Amino acid sequence: MYCFSRLFFIFFIAPAILYSTDSRQDEFDRNAPVARIGNEIITAEEFRWRFEMTIWPGKHKKGYLNTIKQRFLYGMIAEKLLAMEAQEKEIEIDPIFQQQIDRLERMYARDLLYRDMVRQKVTETKPDIREAVEQVYTDSNGNINQSDSIRIENRLRDRLRAYEEYLMKHSYEIRDAEFIESLIDEYTLQVDNELFEILTSAIEYVLDEQYGDELYSYEEIMFVRDEIDAVRNLMTEELDRQFMQTENTRWSVKEFIDDMYSRKIELTGNRDMTLNRRVRNMVNDQIIDYLITKKAFELELHKREEVEIELDRWRRHYIAEAYKQNLTQDVGVEDFEIFNYYEDRRDYFRNPVEVNIREILVRTRSEAVEMIRKLDEGKDFAELARRHSIRNWSARQGGEFGYFPSTAYGEIGRIAAMLEPGQRFGPILIDEGYTLFELIDKRPGERAGAQELDEVEDSIEDILLGRKQREIINEKVKELADRYIVDIDYETLHKLEAASIQVLVVRYFGFGGIFPAVPMLDQILQWSEEWLIDHNLVL
């Protein structure tokens, strides 16, 4: 269930808007490959587009953008390798993923119809756009976490938000356009009134049950899997009945409910409007969308090359996800593994400790290896930390953290709790780079409340299961990287400018609809460690 305010997102409207006026690296070849995977490539533009449009750990931090870009590229390569192998093995896409692809196809087709039949009738004047930009600039102060890097990021942010506000202002007018009326006249549409009443009542009941008096504290509510399952469960007996039809097309109740995924109910505006009326508006909008989609498909807009390119990107993402599920479907965790994990960390669960460490954090593995060499030669750890560590606040004090709970700082805290004073560990890869550290001291923690095995066994099982799954997936990716032959052009990658705003970007479609601008990328990175070493590419 996703309930959100638009303050926390940058919304994407149209690719042409962003890059048609963007002068970044005009001389740079956007089709230059940053990586070759067998007979396929990842172009500079493909990489930049996906990198800028999604969230990735550490992306917004200054000082080591090239390292973050490399890791992001390893994730893209892993996804492409898994998709290539899945296609080779003819792995079937999960039905839920296929529903998403089908829904995207409909939205892209409607979007083209909007552009071809309606969008051209909306006149954009420079004063309109200027007003939108100025208004967005005023409204956005403090709403988005500012990055004090380069002007590219500010221009990207303002342009996306300005066009979102401007075009969304027109979207409701489109609902009343003559084009929509002409579709209603063109297709003889029949909706079962009894089922319409049952459906709207079921939706209203689900919203009331889940939100109660807090419903109107949200600007909007998006329907996702929980809401759809709840509505479907209330209408079990009606699912196979015919909800609506035109002369040659029919839709069942089940098909209609399934297509409610990511529909939104607006809760702002007229407070006197009842929830029932708002639900009816949402259902009516969806009915109209069916007519628009029918027209778009008759014109074969879903077969245009630009739609095929976008769908292929999503199809590859989903088939890679399906293959990961296929690889790990038989993985399980035994009771003795949970018990051993708990026993190995008994002090951690029953008597949490506080630790104090000294750390050197660097950007690349080769730097970390160099630090180890200097330490082995007898160089002072604190002095090396002062001179080379990129964690500035601790570097100023010789890399020392001060006492902190062993549950903090992820793997650093967990591992430090198992060391003895004077022991050193690393390098290991974390979000900020490569860390190596030594334990200065540890002491009993002040936190009360020991945790028994039965209190934590579910969370331990999740940890162990995730660890096994990641290990299997990374081993497979490493195998595929060797088989398909991966070649990375680091020079091109490092020269490529890319805005590092840490945001999730979604796309608004003509005639309604919202979806992530690009697929979220899984952090499949461990394979690259061994692969880089095997190919003498340690960076």
Side-chain angles (χ1 to χ4, degrees), residues 34 100 207 286 324 459:
V34 293
Q100 293 288 66
L207 292 175
Q286 185 170 333
K324 286 192 290 185
S459 59

Side-chain angles (χ1 to χ4, degrees), residues 112-143:
L112 285 177
L113 186 65
Y114 169 77
R115 187 184 69 186
D116 293 350
M117 306 297 288
V118 179
R119 184 76 175 84
Q120 57 186 336
K121 298 179 182 179
V122 179
T123 302
E124 295 179 16
T125 65
K126 289 185 178 179
D128 286 336
I129 297 174
R130 188 180 305 114
E131 178 186 357
V133 172
E134 291 173 354
Q135 185 61 46
V136 169
Y137 178 79
T138 301
D139 293 344
S140 65
N141 285 340
N143 290 342

